[in-house]
């Protein structure tokens, strides 16, 4: 086994032992060395005590999806030893705390063992019990620095940045790093056959998680009201928004906060507050995950039928019910698209990267107000809570907010016979007013019940059908406003199509290259929004066989495509992953090539 900047390392720790900062230090060091790196935090849904893993893929080619197979396992958790040893690839390495001898049942003849007495080194050099536990993590980072040829100057610089303002902690951390490094120099050959080498491949990039990027998108997008109820994995998004709002939404002269973050009693109440705030002219949003989205269905239906803008960020996790709160999935697609009872259709946006979390969150407010309807940004735990290499977040100078069809006092003065739900422009979108705009004109009842064009309650069949048809016309208009899909691969000689969305992006891109290497030529489309634009329809009509990649059991995006575009189900082949971990290119290639091989055998 050999390779420069091409390996996967996994850390097996105990949740709550301070390993996260040490593991991120490792990943960030590689990033600062100019090497593409993709870290994934696999953690339990408790505060401490259970196994947690942190997986880092290093790849010169820039592939940022998960890769199957562990080249080097750093195991400091006895609870997961059996599983961790078994996960190492043939010829791989297993670094463990050799303070206590490793039982023979964990020995494999086909891997290399790197025993480092982490706890003993800490006991000999530190006195505080908590420090011993924390610095054990830094000891193995120091050991890895030598084994993998990391730049110690970069590590030291990052430690200084991490503990800025807490300078007393810098030297003990550097000491712990040197303990691990010195031990490796004395006892092992180094660097390993695979290791890191400086590059310039991350210049101009940043590392950021999707929740932070989405929070900034909301801030730049004009959000000032954030009602919410805490739920993993969306909590850090509202935390980030609050932190940035404290910096940028406070009047410098008076100290008055120009924003409101309100913890509601539950998710349903939070969505109700969003609707109330946006009805009243503010830009508001809430963030949640699957269980919260379930509770919000009633108010999403109200916003759809009463035509009130609303923005929701759904950071998806594994369900159903409570499911696996700290595992990732794309399992809310159908629930979000048709949220609420009756004939309801919502606008969905599918970011794939942190910079898209930023851009699409900001865009969501414009779309919600332009269309007077809920818009749901469909992120997930992998994108939201993991750090990703990203393009810098960009806000165009001079960009203005699209408030949609909002009548001013002057326009109301000149308007005769205004009706809240009149389709004056024949595009499905009526004109609305903000309360208090005019002292006499523009008031109306906001109804979740059946109403006519003037907001009057009615159960007249023809009127109800007319309103429902107009809402569908508005949905068709939305298909012309949402972000268009993006296309990848060989457009000319492609034998089949691939459709994917969200965080399947990196794995799908790598899979395209892998398929091409074995002479299987594909053309891929990445969906960025629902409703589906005309380009989506054209793509689905082009191929007899299209593979739909998604991270849920029931092929929800495939179902949505069949339902909305009336595609014959046999033409859309499922490529699914729903174990709670991010999908890999290996899995995609295996399922596609196996299907093609099986089809070839049947035809022959």
């Amino acid at each position: 086994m050999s390779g420069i900047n091409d390996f996967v390392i996994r850390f097996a720790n105990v949740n709550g032992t301070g390993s996260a900062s040490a593991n991120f230090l490792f990943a960030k060091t590689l990033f600062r060395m100019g090497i593409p790196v993709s870290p994934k935090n696999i953690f339990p849904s408790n505060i401490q005590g259970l196994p947690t893993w942190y997986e880092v893929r290093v790849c010169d080619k820039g592939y940022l999806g998960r890769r199957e197979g562990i080249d080097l396992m750093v195991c400091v958790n006895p609870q997961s030893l059996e599983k961790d040893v078994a996960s190492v690839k043939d010829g791989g390495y297993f670094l463990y705390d050799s303070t206590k001898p490793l039982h023979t049942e964990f020995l494999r003849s086909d891997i290399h063992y790197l025993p480092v007495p982490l706890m003993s080194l800490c006991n000999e050099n530190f006195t505080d019990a908590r420090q011993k536990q924390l610095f054990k993590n830094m000891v193995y980072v120091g050991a890895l620095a030598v084994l993998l040829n990391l730049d110690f100057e970069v590590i030291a610089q990052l430690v200084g940045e991490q503990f800025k303002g807490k300078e007393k902690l810098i030297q003990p951390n550097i000491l712990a790093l040197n303990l691990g490094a010195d031990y490796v120099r004395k006892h092992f050959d180094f660097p390993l056959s695979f290791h890191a080498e400086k590059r310039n491949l991350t210049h101009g990039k940043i590392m950021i998680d999707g929740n932070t990027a989405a929070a900034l998108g909301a801030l730049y997008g004009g959000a000032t009201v954030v009602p919410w109820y805490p739920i993993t994995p969306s909590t850090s998004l509202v935390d980030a928004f609050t932190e940035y709002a404290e910096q940028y939404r406070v009047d410098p002269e008076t100290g008055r906060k120009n924003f409101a973050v309100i913890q509601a009693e539950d998710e349903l109440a939070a969505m109700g507050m969003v609707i109330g705030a946006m009805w009243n002219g503010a830009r508001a949003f809430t963030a949640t995950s699957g269980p919260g989205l379930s509770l919000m269905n009633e108010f999403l239906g109200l916003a759809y039928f009463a035509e009130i803008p609303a923005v929701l960020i759904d950071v998806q996790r594994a369900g159903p019910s409570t499911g696996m709160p700290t595992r990732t999935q794309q399992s809310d697609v159908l629930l979000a698209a048709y949220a609420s009872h009756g004939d309801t259709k919502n606008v969905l946006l599918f970011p794939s990267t942190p910079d898209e979390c930023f851009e699409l969150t900001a865009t969501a407010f414009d779309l919600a107000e332009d269309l007077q309807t809920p818009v749901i940004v469909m992120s997930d735990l992998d994108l939201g809570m993991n750090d990703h290499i990203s393009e810098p977040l960009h806000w165009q100078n001079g960009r203005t907010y699209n408030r949609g069809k909002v009548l001013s006092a002057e326009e109301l003065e000149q308007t005769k016979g205004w009706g809240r739900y009149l389709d004056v422009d024949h595009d499905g979108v009526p004109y609305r007013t903000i309360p208090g705009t005019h002292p006499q004109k523009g008031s109306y009842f906001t109804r979740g019940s059946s109403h006519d064009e003037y907001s009057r309650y009615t159960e007249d069949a023809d009127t109800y059908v007319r309103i429902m048809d107009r809402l569908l016309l508005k949905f068709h208009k939305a298909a012309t406003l949402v972000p268009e899909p993006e296309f990848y691969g060989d457009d000319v000689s492609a034998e089949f199509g691939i459709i994917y969305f969200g965080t399947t992006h990196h794995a799908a891109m790598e899979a395209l290259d892998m398929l091409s290497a074995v002479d299987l030529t594909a053309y891929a489309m990445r969906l960025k929004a629902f409703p589906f634009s005309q380009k989506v329809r054209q793509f689905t009509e082009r191929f007899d066989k299209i593979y739909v990649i998604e991270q849920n059991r029931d092929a929800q995006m495939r179902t949505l495509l069949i339902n909305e575009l009336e595609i014959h189900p046999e033409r859309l082949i499922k490529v699914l992953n729903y174990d709670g971990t991010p999908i890999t290119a290996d899995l995609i290639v295996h399922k596609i090539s196996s299907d093609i091989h099986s089809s070839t055998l049947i035809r022959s």
Side-chain angles (χ1 to χ4, degrees):
M1 183 184 301
S2 62
I4 307 300
N5 298 337
D6 185 15
F7 56 89
V8 174
I9 179 169
R10 178 183 282 181
F11 301 86
N13 303 103
V14 178
N15 199 34
T17 57
S19 59
S21 59
N23 297 341
F24 183 58
L25 173 67
F26 173 82
K28 200 169 183 180
T29 298
L30 291 160
F31 174 74
R32 286 280 183 91
M33 290 173 63
I35 307 167
V37 60
S38 178
K40 306 291 183 187
N41 193 14
I42 307 168
F43 59 101
S45 54
N46 77 325
I47 296 174
Q48 63 181 27
L50 292 180
T52 181
W53 293 271
Y54 188 84
E55 190 172 294
V56 180
R57 181 180 184 182
V58 181
C59 183
D60 249 359
K61 294 181 179 179
Y63 296 132
L64 299 177
R66 277 191 69 232
R67 196 207 75 190
E68 296 179 13
I70 306 302
D71 298 306
L72 195 162
M73 171 68 72
V74 178
C75 183
V76 292
N77 185 5
Q79 297 178 62
S80 59
L81 254 174
E82 183 177 1
K83 180 179 180 178
D84 294 333
V85 170
S87 67
V88 180
K89 291 173 61 176
D90 290 354
Y93 294 83
F94 189 81
L95 190 155
Y96 67 98
D97 185 355
S98 60
T99 300
K100 293 182 180 180
L102 194 64
H103 194 280
T104 55
E105 66 178 301
F106 301 122
L107 297 178
R108 286 173 50 185
S109 60
D110 59 338
I111 64 174
H112 309 282
Y113 288 85
L114 302 169
V116 180
L118 304 174
M119 202 68 244
S120 292
L121 290 172
C122 287
N123 287 336
E124 293 166 5
N125 291 274
F126 302 103
T127 55
D128 181 83
R130 178 62 176 162
Q131 283 189 341
K132 291 177 182 179
Q133 182 64 53
L134 293 173
F135 289 139
K136 182 171 69 172
N137 305 312
M138 298 300 286
V139 173
Y140 67 64
V141 172
L144 291 172
V146 177
L147 290 168
L148 298 174
N149 197 36
L150 304 189
D151 190 326
F152 258 90
E153 288 187 12
V154 172
I155 300 176
Q157 181 184 10
L158 288 170
V159 170
E161 292 175 9
Q162 181 176 342
F163 295 106
K164 186 177 182 180
K166 301 178 181 178
E167 278 70 19
K168 290 182 180 180
L169 294 175
I170 294 177
Q171 285 308 312
N173 276 277
I174 297 297
L175 172 60
L177 288 167
N178 285 324
L179 289 173
D182 291 341
Y183 188 89
V184 166
R185 292 188 184 102
K186 292 178 182 177
H187 295 87
F188 303 113
D189 293 330
F190 59 89
L192 301 181
S193 54
F194 58 88
H195 54 269
E197 190 174 276
K198 272 192 171 183
R199 294 287 189 265
N200 191 29
L201 301 174
T202 61
H203 180 71
K205 309 281 188 180
I206 61 173
M207 283 194 79
I208 189 173
D209 63 88
N211 280 355
T212 299
L216 283 165
L219 191 83
Y220 275 77
T224 57
V225 180
V226 187
W228 72 304
Y229 188 81
I231 182 172
T232 301
S234 69
T235 299
S236 63
L237 195 159
V238 178
D239 288 343
F241 179 88
T242 304
E243 181 180 339
Y244 287 118
E246 291 281 0
Q247 296 180 55
Y248 302 112
R249 289 232 190 281
V250 176
D251 189 296
E253 295 182 3
T254 66
R256 181 180 178 181
K257 294 181 178 180
N258 297 318
F259 69 97
V261 178
I262 309 147
Q263 182 170 330
E265 60 266 34
D266 55 36
E267 289 90 347
L268 180 61
M271 178 51 67
M273 292 178 191
V274 169
I275 294 170
M278 293 202 74
W279 173 84
N280 205 40
R283 283 195 158 185
F285 79 95
T286 189
T288 193
S289 193
L293 177 60
S294 297
L295 289 173
M296 292 175 181
N297 265 234
E298 182 177 355
F299 270 146
L300 285 167
L302 169 64
Y304 173 81
F305 197 46
E307 300 182 66
I308 304 171
V311 173
L312 167 63
I313 304 173
D314 178 19
V315 190
Q316 299 168 90
R317 70 189 206 187
S321 186
T322 307
M324 295 190 292
T326 57
R327 297 292 185 269
T328 196
Q329 275 188 2
Q330 296 172 314
S331 55
D332 297 347
V333 174
L334 288 175
L335 174 63
Y338 302 128
S340 190
H341 54 278
D343 293 321
T344 309
K345 292 185 178 183
N346 297 305
V347 175
L348 310 182
L349 303 177
F350 301 104
S352 294
T353 58
D355 57 306
E356 286 190 348
C357 284
F358 174 81
E359 175 58 36
L360 293 185
T361 298
T363 299
F365 291 97
D366 285 347
L367 286 171
E369 294 204 290
D370 194 9
L371 294 164
Q372 300 173 28
T373 197
V375 175
I376 307 176
V377 181
M378 304 295 288
S379 181
D380 60 32
L381 183 146
D382 177 29
L383 178 55
M385 294 193 71
N386 284 322
D387 293 289
H388 300 262
I389 291 180
S390 171
E391 295 295 331
L393 310 184
H394 176 69
W395 185 261
Q396 186 175 357
N397 290 333
R399 177 173 172 174
T400 58
Y401 300 148
N402 181 1
R403 303 307 302 267
K405 298 180 179 182
V406 180
L407 293 174
S408 66
E410 292 77 13
E411 289 169 325
L412 281 169
E413 277 290 348
Q414 299 169 11
T415 300
K416 295 182 179 180
W418 174 76
R420 171 64 183 93
Y421 300 114
L422 277 173
D423 186 9
V424 178
D425 299 326
H426 306 292
D427 61 355
V429 183
Y431 284 82
R432 67 186 177 109
T433 60
I434 302 299
T437 299
H438 192 285
Q440 287 90 31
K441 296 184 177 183
S443 62
Y444 64 96
F445 285 104
T446 304
R447 294 187 181 277
S449 54
S450 179
H451 50 262
D452 67 8
E453 285 80 359
Y454 295 90
S455 196
R456 298 174 299 207
Y457 177 74
T458 180
E459 293 183 9
D460 178 72
D462 291 340
T463 302
Y464 172 78
V465 169
R466 197 164 61 241
I467 294 294
M468 291 299 290
D469 287 347
R470 181 181 59 74
L471 288 172
L472 189 58
L473 175 62
K474 180 166 70 170
F475 190 72
H476 293 326
K477 177 182 179 178
T480 68
L481 299 178
V482 297
E484 291 280 12
E486 293 190 357
F487 300 90
Y488 309 88
D490 192 332
D491 183 22
V492 178
S493 58
E495 305 166 57
F496 54 90
I498 293 175
I499 293 176
Y500 65 94
F501 62 100
T503 49
T504 59
H505 172 62
H506 295 300
M509 292 295 290
E510 183 177 1
L512 282 174
D513 289 346
M514 294 170 67
L515 289 166
S516 179
V518 292
D519 297 324
L520 294 175
T521 308
Y523 190 48
M525 175 177 65
R526 176 166 70 92
L527 298 171
K528 297 182 73 172
F530 172 76
F532 303 125
S533 70
Q534 190 61 29
K535 287 185 179 180
V536 177
R537 181 180 293 277
Q538 291 168 354
F539 181 91
T540 60
E541 291 172 347
R542 175 173 176 179
F543 297 100
D544 293 329
K545 178 174 285 191
I546 300 172
Y547 296 93
V548 185
I549 303 168
E550 46 189 315
Q551 299 188 108
N552 56 69
R553 184 196 68 181
D554 295 339
Q556 295 183 28
M557 182 59 77
R558 175 179 178 271
T559 300
L560 199 59
L561 287 161
I562 292 169
N563 189 52
E564 294 293 323
L565 302 180
E566 298 182 347
I567 304 169
H568 195 289
E570 289 185 359
R571 294 177 52 225
L572 299 183
I573 313 302
K574 307 173 188 176
V575 178
L576 306 176
N577 175 68
Y578 47 91
D579 65 0
T581 63
I583 196 169
T584 65
D586 307 85
L587 182 147
I588 294 170
V589 170
H590 171 72
K591 292 194 174 184
I592 291 177
S593 58
S594 295
D595 177 78
I596 291 174
H597 180 66
S598 299
S599 300
T600 303
L601 288 177
I602 291 171
R603 287 197 299 270
S604 61

